[in-house]
Amino acid sequence: MNKVKLSKCSIESDVIKDFYLSNEYLTVKFEYSSIKGIFGSDNGKYIDWISFSDKFEEAVYYPNSITFDKKLSVILSTEPALAVSVKGQIKMKLKVLFEKQLRIPVVEKILSSIEKYEVHQNKNEIIIKGKSKRISIVVEGAKFNVRRSGDILAFDINPSDEAWILFYFGDKRPSASKIKESHGKYLEYLSNIFNSEDELINSLFVFSLHTAISNHKIGIENDFSVLYAGPSYALPARTYYRDSFWTSKALLPFKPSIVKDQIQVLSDGIDENGNAPSGIVFASKEEFELSRKFANLDPKVRQFQRRPQDWWSDHWDSPYFFVLLVYDYLRWTGDREILTEDILKKIRVILDKFEQDKWIFFKDEDVKDWSDNVVRSGFVTYDLSLYAGSLISASKIFESIDQNTSAKYIEGYKTIKRFMNDEIWKADHFADYINEKIGKIEDHINIDTVVTLLYDIPDNDETFIDTLKRYLFTKNNDEQRFGDWGILSVWPFYKYKEDLKFKSAFPYRYHNGSDWPYWDGIIAKILLSRSDPEWKYALLRSWEYSLSNKWYLPVEYYSPPFGRGGLLQAWSATPVWAIVSGGFGIEPDINGNFSYKTPPWGKSTLKFKLHSKDIEIN
């Protein structure tokens, strides 16, 4: 089978190289038909690999399950348990590896600890137990024998009809039927939220919403409920301000309690001066102590990790994403209990920081915002726009609390808007950044300047949108060399090569030109809100390109010459937001008032939550 068969909740094709299953507790990495790691949310690796004797050619990929050649299925339920269904004889090998790793930032030092374990068998159950980890393997509906050679367990399984091999990671043993049932309900839940007559849009919605939900993690060792940025962000376990903000755009109409937990966690990362790191680390006392020792040995690490829980201290955009997330949460839930004295104080500290500078700040020469492989400084459109957006959002939060503060923030917003249109606007778009002190003006078109449109900043918004479409949409840009493959993040490429770091040093790569599907979703939302006919390209092109390359989960970024970044990238769920708030036009105000429209793709249904009420639109 060379052709991909697409339905709302499944993708059928040849066996592909990379796929993930992920729930609140576990992440399962696949390479072709072998498992290449089972990881706990914050306590490292349980199993290094699992291989099966059969060679499979075709597979059907679902959110959190795979079926190979109609003979073997792997299902990750909503619990810390994995089930393998087998029809016919099969051999299975696995390597146990109770490993925990900690990555030290900047120096990229990885510290590993291996936990010893014992193996016991009780009838049809194998128990593998270490100091803090435990795996139980249960074989149901088959005769089997197991042999151990060091860390490797080899199973010969002979089913009478259908056999189930259950892996559960804790004390509570689920049944195969319960795992199958819970997964079926999960697929039914994803399938019933949104429906249209366009199967490509349906599948994009389902796999994008699954991506957001599956990156909600509950600590096994540590007590937390947070959003990860993706499967690659558990070394150490951490959550980010900006990634979680964009991911929450997809979750708020459906899973607002996850966002409430996220706000509480992010609030703890804001210091007394209104600064916040890129992300927050969750680690044990021993790991924090190891990290502290490395920080004392290397001043670069101390600068990067000013506090033990910081993942890259003092990022410019992080505090503003916190304010914006609180406002979004209030709009969708009406839950004013989130506005504790502590959170209101932190919002004031964040926003009042530049009041004495007439609301305009001059960014240092650093890489401390989303574009963290590029040195940008001076008046940076992206960072100033987020500040303006958080000011106008906070003004609405404070309307019923302190009218003077509310009015002050409105004036701050107007000041930034006026400054940006007077000083940063260049003919038909905003410059990326301007630093006249060092003689650098990067006046190319940067996709991150679209945040100005979210907060009504451009005076010439239609001109700006036309410019974005003309140069960043690859189908319209004949100067770039690779045809129609998505949306460029910048055009032309960065001109100050000395300010480009790592992956962004190359044209078409990372911040220097790759397509970032999360930005595509943001642009799609903007175009759908304006009934712009180019909405379809922004919404669907990266998903079409991904499917053609057999990337069946939303990716971090990609470009033809350099391939892709990580799969199951949380913030790449923004197409869900585009469909709900752009397509249907649902953008509630702080009192829960909203209107809606018929989306441009035609007849559709949508179910969502608003201010604790279940709403259905036909």
Side-chain angles (χ1 to χ4, degrees):
M1 176 188 293
N2 293 316
K3 190 175 180 181
V4 173
K5 292 183 179 179
L6 191 69
S7 70
K8 178 185 282 190
C9 284
S10 68
I11 303 169
E12 185 176 354
S13 78
D14 299 332
V15 175
I16 61 172
K17 181 180 179 182
D18 298 304
F19 197 75
Y20 284 97
L21 313 181
S22 181
N23 68 7
E24 293 174 337
Y25 310 99
L26 300 171
T27 298
V28 183
K29 181 180 180 180
F30 273 85
E31 185 174 303
Y32 298 110
S33 56
S34 296
I35 292 173
K36 291 297 182 180
I38 299 179
F39 306 84
S41 60
D42 66 335
N43 67 343
K45 186 179 284 188
Y46 286 97
I47 292 176
D48 198 21
W49 52 261
I50 300 176
S51 66
F52 302 98
S53 56
D54 288 32
K55 300 297 181 184
F56 303 108
E57 295 182 357
E58 297 178 5
V60 185
Y61 296 88
Y62 305 86
N64 275 358
S65 73
I66 311 174
T67 297
F68 295 103
D69 285 355
K70 299 180 181 180
K71 178 177 180 178
L72 184 144
S73 296
V74 183
I75 302 171
L76 183 63
S77 74
T78 54
E79 303 174 56
L82 184 74
V84 179
S85 165
V86 178
K87 295 178 180 178
Q89 294 183 2
I90 200 164
K91 297 179 184 293
M92 178 182 75
K93 286 186 178 181
L94 63 90
K95 181 180 179 182
V96 180
L97 184 62
F98 284 178
E99 182 183 38
K100 183 76 180 289
Q101 293 185 322
L102 176 70
R103 184 168 129 221
I104 305 298
V106 181
V107 295
E108 295 297 318
K109 175 73 173 178
I110 295 180
L111 307 175
S112 297
S113 59
I114 305 294
E115 185 177 331
K116 294 180 180 180
Y117 60 87
E118 295 179 349
V119 179
H120 305 280
Q121 183 170 356
N122 182 16
K123 295 183 179 178
N124 68 331
E125 182 172 18
I126 311 297
I127 299 170
I128 307 166
K129 192 171 183 179
K131 181 180 178 182
S132 61
K133 292 187 178 74
R134 170 179 168 148
I135 308 170
S136 296
I137 305 171
V138 181
V139 180
E140 295 182 358
K143 295 179 180 180
F144 75 98
N145 62 67
V146 60
R147 303 176 305 280
R148 179 184 179 186
S149 176
D151 293 330
I152 296 175
L153 300 180
F155 289 78
D156 294 321
I157 300 166
N158 297 287
S160 54
D161 181 20
E162 180 180 23
W164 286 90
I165 308 158
L166 308 180
F167 299 80
Y168 66 98
F169 304 82
D171 297 325
K172 188 177 178 182
R173 175 176 172 174
S175 66
S177 59
K178 185 177 180 181
I179 290 174
K180 188 175 181 179
E181 180 185 3
S182 66
H183 180 253
K185 286 181 178 178
Y186 179 59
L187 293 183
E188 183 180 7
Y189 167 77
L190 292 173
S191 180
N192 287 341
I193 291 175
F194 165 75
N195 189 53
S196 77
E197 294 177 353
D198 189 318
E199 207 69 298
L200 187 63
I201 295 176
N202 290 342
S203 70
L204 173 62
F205 184 93
V206 165
F207 280 86
S208 295
L209 182 57
H210 164 65
T211 293
I213 293 171
S214 67
N215 277 293
H216 173 230
K217 297 294 181 180
I218 293 174
I220 294 174
E221 286 188 4
N222 302 280
D223 182 18
F224 64 72
S225 167
V226 298
L227 289 168
Y228 280 11
S232 301
Y233 299 83
L235 181 63
R238 58 196 186 275
T239 189
Y240 291 86
Y241 284 79
R242 54 182 163 267
D243 297 66
S244 64
F245 172 76
W246 297 117
T247 308
S248 294
K249 290 285 194 182
L251 289 171
L252 277 167
F254 314 110
K255 299 280 187 179
S257 62
I258 295 175
V259 180
K260 186 172 187 176
D261 290 345
Q262 184 69 19
I263 289 171
Q264 301 289 358
V265 169
L266 296 181
S267 178
D268 293 339
I270 297 167
D271 70 14
E272 65 278 4
N273 297 314
N275 298 317
S278 177
I280 297 172
V281 173
F282 304 97
S284 64
K285 291 180 180 179
E286 294 79 9
E287 288 171 322
F288 276 133
E289 180 60 24
L290 285 172
S291 181
R292 186 190 66 79
K293 288 179 179 178
F294 269 88
N296 289 338
L297 293 173
D298 192 328
K300 287 188 298 184
V301 178
R302 283 202 302 274
Q303 182 184 9
F304 190 96
Q305 201 167 8
R306 191 166 53 80
R307 298 178 298 175
Q309 71 270 29
D310 284 3
W311 184 264
W312 207 340
S313 302
D314 302 340
H315 269 227
W316 293 85
D317 50 356
S318 292
Y320 306 133
F321 280 127
F322 174 75
V323 177
L324 292 166
L325 186 58
V326 171
Y327 177 60
D328 276 355
Y329 176 76
L330 284 171
R331 290 194 300 120
W332 280 98
T333 68
D335 177 14
R336 299 187 72 86
E337 289 183 4
I338 199 73
L339 298 178
T340 62
E341 184 178 338
D342 179 60
I343 283 181
L344 288 173
K345 180 182 177 181
K346 286 176 177 175
I347 291 174
R348 290 178 190 267
V349 172
I350 289 166
L351 298 182
D352 293 349
K353 187 173 182 179
F354 296 107
E355 181 181 5
Q356 291 183 340
D357 298 314
K358 298 181 180 179
W359 307 102
I360 307 298
F361 65 80
F362 196 88
K363 181 178 176 290
D364 296 336
E365 291 182 71
D366 61 36
V367 295
K368 294 183 178 181
D369 62 18
W370 97 274
S371 191
D372 57 13
N373 276 202
V374 183
V375 177
R376 303 193 291 182
S377 60
F379 302 123
V380 181
T381 293
Y382 164 82
D383 294 297
L384 283 171
S385 299
L386 293 174
Y387 187 25
S390 59
L391 283 165
I392 196 66
S393 298
S395 73
K396 294 168 185 173
I397 293 173
F398 279 97
E399 270 181 355
S400 60
I401 300 171
D402 184 336
Q403 291 187 353
N404 290 332
T405 297
S406 177
K408 179 177 74 173
Y409 290 156
I410 291 173
E411 289 306 309
Y413 163 79
K414 290 178 179 178
T415 299
I416 297 175
K417 176 175 178 174
R418 187 163 53 247
F419 173 83
M420 292 181 68
N421 283 283
D422 290 346
E423 303 297 333
I424 308 180
W425 180 261
K426 300 296 178 185
D428 57 4
H429 68 283
F430 286 106
D432 187 341
Y433 64 90
I434 298 175
N435 187 345
E436 294 179 345
K437 290 182 180 179
I438 59 173
K440 288 185 177 180
I441 299 176
E442 183 55 83
D443 56 1
H444 66 181
I445 303 160
N446 191 323
I447 200 167
D448 70 11
T449 61
V450 302
V451 294
T452 60
L453 292 161
L454 297 179
Y455 307 115
D456 195 28
I457 293 172
D459 288 340
N460 300 304
D461 53 353
E462 292 301 329
T463 298
F464 183 33
I465 289 171
D466 287 344
T467 301
L468 292 169
K469 293 187 295 185
R470 165 68 183 84
Y471 293 101
L472 298 187
F473 286 23
T474 56
K475 70 171 186 173
N476 300 327
N477 185 335
D478 294 332
E479 296 176 63
Q480 60 85 27
R481 298 184 300 164
F482 296 98
D484 176 2
W485 53 274
I487 300 178
L488 290 153
S489 58
V490 296
W491 186 264
F493 304 116
Y494 279 97
K495 59 187 175 185
Y496 301 110
K497 294 182 179 180
E498 69 273 17
D499 291 338
L500 300 176
K501 311 292 183 183
F502 311 113
K503 288 176 282 191
S504 292
F506 304 93
Y508 295 100
R509 195 174 187 190
Y510 214 47
H511 302 110
N512 202 10
S514 285
D515 182 305
W516 293 73
Y518 94 93
W519 282 117
D520 297 358
I522 295 167
I523 292 177
K525 192 276 178 192
I526 291 166
L527 298 183
L528 282 163
S529 296
R530 295 165 178 265
S531 300
D532 189 301
E534 292 281 30
W535 66 266
K536 195 168 188 177
Y537 188 81
L539 183 66
L540 295 175
R541 186 66 187 102
S542 65
W543 186 232
E544 290 174 329
Y545 189 88
S546 293
L547 292 174
S548 70
N549 281 279
K550 299 188 176 180
W551 308 332
Y552 294 164
L553 296 166
V555 303
E556 182 186 11
Y557 63 90
Y558 68 88
S559 67
F562 292 104
R564 64 166 176 82
L567 291 172
L568 203 71
Q569 197 75 16
W571 65 5
S572 296
T574 54
V576 173
W577 174 47
I579 290 167
V580 173
S581 293
F584 286 91
I586 300 167
E587 279 286 10
D589 65 18
I590 203 163
N591 297 312
N593 301 311
F594 76 99
S595 59
Y596 63 92
K597 63 182 181 180
T598 301
W601 52 79
K603 185 178 178 181
S604 305
T605 60
L606 179 70
K607 299 176 183 178
F608 62 95
K609 294 180 181 294
L610 182 65
H611 284 227
S612 301
K613 295 180 181 178
D614 292 323
I615 298 173
E616 182 172 356
I617 293 175
N618 273 308

